[in-house]
Amino acid sequence: MGLLTGKVVLVAGASRGIGLAIARAMAEAGAEVVVASRSEAKLKEIAAELHGRALVMDMASTESIDAAVEAVGPVDVLVNVAGINNRKRFEDFTSEEIAAIFQSNLFGPMQLTQRIGRKMIERGAGGKIINIGSLTALQIGIPYISIYGASKGALAEWTRCLAAEWGQYKIQANCIAPGFILTDLNREMWQKEELQQWLRDNQPNPRIGLPEDMGPIAVYLASAHSDYMTGQTLTVDGGHTVTAMWPFTPAK
């Protein structure tokens, strides 16, 4: 018996990176995992690996979200991972680029959560909502990701409001805020030695994070062990947002 035996976990954005790592961790904890994303071929492979189910869903399409919700059946835990980023100067963003980031990072997860949440409320058995945010939702601003940062800041605030509203139904809503995590989407960027050195100099745990670092936290938030925790943003960032490193060493 695992922590999540008997639970159905829907991971939206599970085809790679953090979403895939969380899906694997949920399966290892005993959950029946439904992996969802746009990549149908990749999903079938992952579902077979996890002995779970594959669900094609495009967070940019309300019709696709509606169809996926009808197909999935009862869900105990929803994990919203899907998201995109676009690193460029704020003055250069087009309206279409801004809309695409907000649809994937905020509006899509809202639409999916609204529909899954209605069914959780109707069933009366409670549930868990886990949103994947970012360290940019906290106290730091980073240049050239202003739209991404705004969408993730809104995601964290929405999580808090959702926790306040749905607590009466025994539904807990929490957010995980990853720090700098190495994924296929940013692997080339992090090959630069100056970026690696900057990270080593600016956080107490000098290594870059891995998608697998998010799995155990997500399992905890999906389990009964977190029933008295809601509305929280848990930062998993090697200490980056709460420490300041400086070039001083006291004399012995």
Side-chain angles (χ1 to χ4, degrees), residues 79-223:
V79 188
N80 287 308
V81 189
I84 59 174
N85 193 2
N86 189 350
R87 300 175 185 86
K88 61 191 297 184
R89 299 177 187 278
F90 174 69
E91 63 269 25
D92 294 335
F93 275 100
T94 66
S95 298
E96 292 76 16
E97 288 170 335
I98 293 171
I101 290 173
F102 268 87
Q103 177 61 39
S104 180
N105 296 3
L106 184 64
F107 302 147
M110 281 182 164
Q111 291 165 352
L112 178 60
T113 302
Q114 185 181 58
R115 289 152 177 76
I116 293 292
R118 282 197 196 110
K119 293 181 179 292
M120 286 180 175
I121 293 168
E122 290 169 2
R123 287 170 60 208
K128 306 279 188 176
I129 309 296
I130 304 170
N131 292 322
I132 304 303
S134 167
L135 82 173
T136 61
L138 301 167
Q139 65 266 45
I140 67 171
I142 299 174
Y144 312 126
I145 59 166
S146 56
I147 308 305
Y148 174 85
S151 70
K152 291 298 187 177
L155 186 80
E157 176 58 20
W158 165 55
T159 302
R160 289 188 284 270
C161 293
L162 195 61
E165 189 169 336
W166 282 1
Q168 62 185 307
Y169 305 117
K170 297 183 181 179
I171 297 172
Q172 291 87 49
N174 290 289
C175 183
I176 298 173
F180 295 100
I181 308 298
L182 186 65
T183 69
D184 291 341
L185 296 179
N186 62 26
R187 196 175 305 276
E188 183 178 352
M189 182 184 77
W190 282 105
Q191 295 302 313
K192 298 177 181 178
E193 175 56 32
E194 59 267 34
L195 269 180
Q196 296 178 29
Q197 187 61 52
W198 171 82
L199 193 68
R200 289 192 291 268
D201 291 343
N202 282 279
Q203 64 184 43
N205 188 331
R207 71 168 174 86
I208 193 168
L210 301 173
E212 290 73 19
D213 291 320
M214 304 303 120
I217 306 300
V219 168
Y220 167 69
L221 291 177
S223 76

Side-chain angles (χ1 to χ4, degrees), residues 31-46:
E32 177 188 349
V33 179
V34 183
V35 289
S37 82
R38 294 176 297 176
S39 310
E40 183 174 6
K42 181 70 172 176
L43 279 181
K44 289 180 177 178
E45 178 183 330
I46 295 167

Side-chain angles (χ1 to χ4, degrees), residues 6-15 19-20 23-24 27 31-37 39-57 67-77 116 123:
K7 300 295 184 182
V8 176
V9 178
L10 171 57
V11 183
S15 63
L20 177 55
R24 285 173 170 156
E32 177 188 349
V33 179
V34 183
V35 289
S37 82
S39 310
E40 183 174 6
K42 181 70 172 176
L43 279 181
K44 289 180 177 178
E45 178 183 330
I46 295 167
E49 172 196 337
L50 304 181
H51 304 288
R53 289 184 278 153
L55 187 68
V56 177
M57 181 174 62
V69 170
E70 287 305 311
V72 73
V75 170
D76 300 294
V77 180
I116 293 292
R123 287 170 60 208

